[in-house]
Amino acid sequence: MNAVWHRFLKPFYRKEPVSSFILTVGAVDVALGGLGSYSSLLLLGMGTMTGAIALRWWQSQRADKHRPQESLPEYYLAPGVSSQPLPRLNPSKHRR
């Protein structure tokens, strides 16, 4: 399970932690409702999981629209400008 966690599940949790948390809560509700024969908890968990998947899909669609088509790199210094090395700082002897 550890290899599966690192390879497949961990990138999803890091990318969208809110929707992943909601999906986990729904999965726990489905498991508890299915094992305990609580149909209302099972349906609540299935609805929660469906909502989390829909939220994740909506966020990915929104992110694709806002992404620029072609981004150019930004340089903070002009090309070819060589700077002088900074002077060495000597600590003050009269520190308080």
Side-chain angles (χ1 to χ4, degrees):
M1 180 64 186
N2 198 14
V4 173
W5 171 256
H6 284 290
R7 184 166 277 173
F8 296 111
L9 297 177
K10 202 170 185 180
F12 291 121
Y13 273 88
R14 288 191 178 186
K15 194 170 188 180
E16 295 293 337
V18 174
S19 61
S20 299
F21 176 74
I22 295 171
L23 186 67
T24 303
V25 168
V28 168
D29 286 347
V30 167
L32 291 175
L35 293 173
S37 299
Y38 298 111
S39 59
S40 60
L41 187 59
L42 178 72
L43 291 174
L44 177 69
M46 291 175 86
T48 304
M49 287 180 65
T50 304
I53 291 170
L55 176 66
R56 172 95 169 139
W57 176 79
W58 179 68
Q59 286 176 340
S60 69
Q61 293 297 319
R62 195 176 67 175
D64 289 341
K65 288 180 183 178
H66 293 294
R67 188 180 317 156
Q69 295 294 334
E70 190 174 316
S71 62
L72 298 174
E74 294 182 23
Y75 297 105
Y76 293 105
L77 297 175
V81 174
S82 62
S83 62
Q84 299 291 332
L86 295 174
R88 181 175 287 263
L89 295 176
N90 294 328
S92 176
K93 292 182 181 179
H94 302 287
R95 292 181 121 188
R96 289 184 186 197

